[in-house]
């Protein structure tokens, strides 16, 4: 039986660990989507990285947490009739979201330290793993930065900060998947080099990032609710109600009708690029990645339409965000496949 610390086994073990962490981040993205859809994100008004690990443990603590929530604008504007029981419901989702962040931090930091102590990290990968850990820590800070935007003068978080928070989470998933795939290649062939980014790969990830940004804007501004018909928006191809601002880019950043319209139709630009990517990946001999790309974006399109036509029903909207994360993972897999094909041996 091969030793754990053999040259072939170490990269494979680290790869399995990274994919497990990616699965936890995916779960956090799903819970984050539910937290946003249930407007639970502002229920915890303080950031206590250590002491905040435990929820309120007695009636007095629950009352204190509820009183803190009552002091922010969202309560007076939207939830003035909320009971303590209702507060506990929204507190639950934000608490689970934050708890998952702490679990992910430990699930990454502790094994990383163990692999480092055992000198099991292949040469050239230590800096990448530390960078992913740092990005995870930054994500926690971004999360609080986002929440803080809704605690004083606003009744919701900034949709710009929400977009940064979501894109960072998906970047972490992409980085974990990419690194895991590099290590799997190294486990198969000790002479393998890391995959390189191709031009098509950069284009695919860029158009997908634009779509994710507008998806976050759509969620943050509740722009999905401005039209519940498809393909027309309230009987029009281009929606009525757009308030054009100067400069024009502000309209794309603030107007819910235009944001919804852009998110709806930019999706087809993403589809076109991903079809080209999937075909190239198939020709490169990585058919499973090609199938994953097609299956994920096909499912995502159907869920997007269903979400709009349902009036943004919570289960469909949550699934839409979850599958969006799978689209990112599948795209990264495909982009990596193309880059690995062109990588040279050491």
């Amino acid at each position: 039986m091969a030793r754990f610390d053999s040259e072939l086994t170490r990269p494979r073990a680290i790869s399995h660990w990274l994919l497990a962490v990616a699965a936890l981040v995916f779960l956090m993205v799903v819970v984050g989507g539910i937290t946003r859809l249930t407007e639970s994100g502002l229920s915890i008004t303080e950031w206590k990285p250590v002491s905040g690990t435990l929820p309120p443990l007695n009636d007095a603590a629950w009352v204190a947490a509820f009183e803190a929530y009552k002091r922010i604008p969202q309560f007076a504007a939207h939830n003035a009739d909320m009971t303590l029981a209702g507060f506990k419901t929204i507190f639950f989702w934000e608490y689970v979201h934050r708890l998952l962040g702490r679990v992910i931090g430990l699930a990454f930091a502790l094994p990383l330290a163990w692999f480092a102590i055992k000198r099991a990290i292949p040469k050239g990968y230590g800096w990448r793993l530390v960078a992913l850990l740092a990005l995870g820590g930054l994500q926690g800070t971004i999360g609080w930065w986002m929440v803080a935007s809704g605690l004083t003068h606003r009744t919701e978080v900034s949709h710009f900060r929400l977009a940064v928070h979501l894109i960072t989470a998906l970047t972490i998933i992409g980085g974990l998947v990419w690194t895991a795939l590099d290590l799997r290649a190294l486990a198969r062939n000790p002479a393998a080099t890391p995959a390189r980014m191709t031009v098509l790969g950069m284009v695919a990830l860029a158009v997908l990032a634009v779509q994710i940004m507008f998806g976050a804007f759509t969620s943050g501004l509740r722009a999905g609710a401005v039209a519940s018909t498809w393909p027309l928006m309230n009987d029009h191809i281009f929606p009525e109600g757009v308030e054009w601002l100067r400069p024009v880019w502000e309209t794309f950043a603030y107007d819910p009708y235009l944001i919804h319209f852009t998110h709806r139709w930019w999706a087809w630009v993403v589809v076109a690029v991903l079809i080209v990517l999937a075909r190239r990946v198939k020709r490169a001999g990585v058919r499973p990645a090609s199938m994953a790309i097609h299956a994920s974006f096909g499912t995502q399109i159907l869920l997007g339409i269903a979400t709009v036509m349902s009036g943004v029903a919570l289960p469909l909207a949550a699934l839409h965000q979850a599958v969006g994360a799978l689209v990112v993972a599948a795209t990264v897999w495909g982009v990596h496949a193309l880059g690995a094909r062109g990588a040279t041996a050491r």
Side-chain angles (χ1 to χ4, degrees):
M1 183 173 67
R3 288 172 52 87
F4 174 76
D5 59 353
S6 72
E7 286 297 321
L8 292 180
T9 308
R10 284 182 295 176
R12 185 174 294 114
I14 298 173
S15 173
H16 291 334
W17 159 58
L18 292 178
L19 291 177
V21 174
L24 286 174
V25 179
F26 167 77
L27 179 60
M28 190 169 183
V29 169
V30 174
V31 173
I34 296 172
T35 300
R36 173 58 193 160
L37 290 164
T38 56
E39 299 185 356
S40 303
L42 299 179
S43 58
I44 302 178
T45 60
E46 296 178 303
W47 188 33
K48 297 179 178 178
V50 178
S51 61
T53 302
L54 295 176
L57 298 177
N58 54 52
D59 291 342
W62 274 113
V63 169
F66 190 24
E67 290 300 319
Y69 177 66
K70 288 180 179 181
R71 289 192 289 270
I72 69 172
Q74 186 186 77
F75 175 80
H78 300 298
N79 295 322
D81 59 346
M82 177 176 282
T83 64
L84 180 59
F87 172 72
K88 288 181 178 180
T89 299
I90 63 171
F91 185 98
F92 169 81
W93 287 112
E94 176 64 6
Y95 173 74
V96 170
H97 187 56
R98 295 191 187 195
L99 182 63
L100 270 173
R102 294 178 173 94
V103 170
I104 291 168
L106 291 175
F108 196 95
L110 295 180
L112 175 60
W114 191 88
F115 283 123
I117 291 170
K118 292 294 184 179
R119 299 183 181 276
I121 300 174
K123 183 178 180 181
Y125 284 87
W127 68 268
R128 201 190 304 189
L129 296 176
V130 171
L132 286 170
L133 176 62
L135 188 59
L138 177 63
Q139 175 70 333
T141 303
I142 291 171
W144 174 246
W145 175 63
M146 178 188 69
V147 169
S149 68
L151 296 179
T152 53
H153 305 296
R154 303 170 60 98
T155 60
E156 71 288 314
V157 301
S158 163
H159 62 291
F160 296 115
R161 299 187 187 188
L162 175 66
V164 173
H165 192 49
L166 177 60
I167 290 172
T168 303
L170 296 178
T171 299
I172 292 171
I173 289 178
L176 290 167
V177 170
W178 186 284
T179 305
L181 291 171
D182 274 347
L183 288 165
R184 286 186 172 228
L186 188 63
R188 292 191 298 268
N189 176 13
T193 58
R196 298 173 180 175
M197 185 69 70
T198 64
V199 173
L200 177 57
M202 287 188 286
V203 171
L205 292 174
V207 298
L208 186 55
V210 172
Q211 181 67 353
I212 292 166
M213 180 186 72
F214 276 101
F217 287 0
T218 300
S219 176
L221 293 174
R222 300 178 183 84
V226 302
S228 58
T229 57
W230 190 91
L232 301 180
M233 289 183 64
N234 301 327
D235 299 324
H236 297 275
I237 294 177
F238 188 83
E240 291 185 334
V242 175
E243 295 184 8
W244 293 99
L245 305 173
R246 292 188 180 183
V248 173
W249 70 265
E250 289 193 358
T251 313
F252 284 91
Y254 289 101
D255 187 88
Y257 288 92
L258 188 58
I259 287 171
H260 184 148
F261 175 83
T262 305
H263 185 57
R264 179 181 290 211
W265 295 108
W266 186 259
W268 299 103
V269 177
V270 177
V271 166
V273 173
L274 291 186
I275 287 173
V276 174
L277 174 67
R279 289 179 176 178
R280 293 275 185 89
V281 170
K282 185 178 180 181
R283 286 203 297 269
V286 191
R287 191 165 182 267
S290 176
M291 293 173 63
I293 294 169
H294 280 292
S296 60
F297 79 65
T299 303
Q300 182 69 335
I301 289 292
L302 294 175
L303 279 172
I305 294 170
T307 299
V308 166
M309 298 185 71
S310 70
V312 194
L314 193 152
L316 289 172
L319 278 173
H320 187 53
Q321 179 155 319
V323 176
L326 295 180
V327 172
V328 170
T331 301
V332 169
W333 185 7
V335 172
H336 183 277
L338 291 185
R341 185 188 182 196
T344 57
R346 279 189 274 192

